[in-house]
Amino acid sequence: MSSLSPLFPVPSSPLIPVAGVSEGFPVHRIFCVGRNYAAHAAEMGNTIDRAAPFYFTKPPTGLVLSGEAIAYPPGTEDYHHEIELVVAIGQPVFKVPVEQAMAAVYGYAVGLDMTRRDLQQVAKDKQRPWDIAKAFEQSAVIGEITAADAFTPGNQRISLAVNGALRQEGRLDEMVWSVAELVSHLSHYYHLTPGDLIYTGTPSGVGAVVSGDVLTGEVEGLSPISTPIGPKA
C-alpha cells in the first residue's frame, strides 16, 4: 500500500504560529469540551454532569488563523461565537494520571468555537449528534501559540468583543474541569499525540454574529485574536 499515490490533492490543515519560534505547530486533531463553564451551561438551559466531561470534534481542515476572514456559513440563521482557551499537546500520552498530565502540554492559544446554534438546537431536540452544527468549514479560529513554560492557566480573564462591545467574560479558574483533568480524562479514551488541540469550553455570553462583524478575543497572557465575519457562503 505504501507505493500508492493520491488520486487528487486534499486540503491540509494550517501550521499554527508559535511565539518566538520559526516553525509552525502542525495540527493532528481538534477536540472540544462541552459545558465546561457552569454559567454558560445555565444560559443554554443545561445542567453540568460533574461525573465527567464530554467532547465533540472539529476537522483540522476547518481551522482558521487569527486575522483571516471567515464566511458566514450556509444552512444557518443563528451563527454564534464561543471564545475558548486552547491547549496544544506536544507529547504522546495514554491513560496519564492528572498529576502528570501537564507534562504533555506544549502550549496555549486563544480560540473560537463557531457554532450554527439553530442546527445544534435541532440536533439536541432530536437527540442527534452535533456534527452539522459544530464541525464545518472555518468553524475553529485560533491565534498564536504561547509555550507552556511562559503561561500557566490560573485566574486569567478570558473575553470576547464584537465590534468593540464586550460579549463574553470569565476567568479560567471558572472551568468545571481543569486543563490537567481534561488531558488526563481524554487520554483514557484516545492516544493523545503531538499536534492535538483541546478547545476547553466557553464562558457565558455567547451570541449571534452577522456578516461585517469583527470578533476580538483575549486571554490574559496570550496573543489575542481578531476575525472578521465575511459574506454568506
Side-chain angles (χ1 to χ4, degrees):
M1 298 293 288
S2 59
S3 62
L4 291 177
S5 59
L7 285 169
F8 43 80
V10 296
S12 59
S13 56
L15 296 174
I16 304 172
V18 178
V21 177
S22 58
E23 297 87 1
F25 182 91
V27 179
H28 179 219
R29 292 175 293 189
I30 301 174
F31 299 97
C32 302
V33 184
R35 301 173 193 168
N36 201 23
Y37 287 77
H40 170 60
E43 75 177 347
M44 301 302 294
N46 300 310
T47 58
I48 299 292
D49 179 1
R50 296 183 182 273
F54 76 94
Y55 311 93
F56 55 92
T57 62
K58 289 177 178 277
T61 52
L63 204 65
V64 178
L65 300 180
S66 173
E68 298 180 7
I70 55 177
Y72 193 102
T76 182
E77 298 298 329
D78 196 20
Y79 185 41
H80 278 214
H81 57 74
E82 297 189 13
I83 187 70
E84 313 209 358
L85 172 72
V86 183
V87 177
I89 299 297
Q91 296 292 332
V93 285
F94 181 59
K95 296 184 178 180
V96 64
V98 172
E99 298 76 17
Q100 301 172 22
M102 296 301 281
V105 177
Y106 175 82
Y108 303 90
V110 182
L112 281 169
D113 163 20
M114 302 303 294
T115 303
R116 295 193 272 213
R117 189 71 70 200
D118 45 1
L119 300 189
Q120 184 187 32
Q121 189 59 54
V122 170
K124 288 180 179 179
D125 292 343
K126 295 185 177 182
Q127 298 184 322
R128 293 176 176 174
W130 296 359
D131 298 63
I132 198 169
K134 291 286 192 178
F136 54 93
E137 290 90 347
Q138 299 184 325
S139 63
V141 181
I142 194 165
E144 181 182 64
I145 293 174
T146 296
D149 60 5
F151 181 85
T152 301
N155 69 340
Q156 294 94 337
R157 178 176 179 263
I158 178 172
S159 62
L160 180 124
V162 178
N163 303 325
L166 183 65
R167 288 275 191 92
Q168 291 187 260
E169 187 176 28
R171 297 280 173 179
L172 297 185
D173 59 2
E174 296 172 355
M175 289 195 294
V176 177
W177 294 280
S178 68
V179 171
E181 289 169 331
L182 292 171
V183 172
S184 174
H185 183 266
L186 196 56
S187 79
H188 281 73
Y189 297 89
Y190 297 88
H191 289 78
L192 296 181
T193 65
D196 287 340
L197 297 177
I198 305 173
Y199 279 61
T200 59
T202 194
S204 61
V206 299
V209 294
V210 298
S211 297
D213 283 346
V214 177
L215 284 60
T216 52
E218 297 182 354
V219 171
E220 288 178 336
L222 299 178
S223 298
I225 60 173
S226 179
T227 300
I229 306 297
K232 289 190 175 183

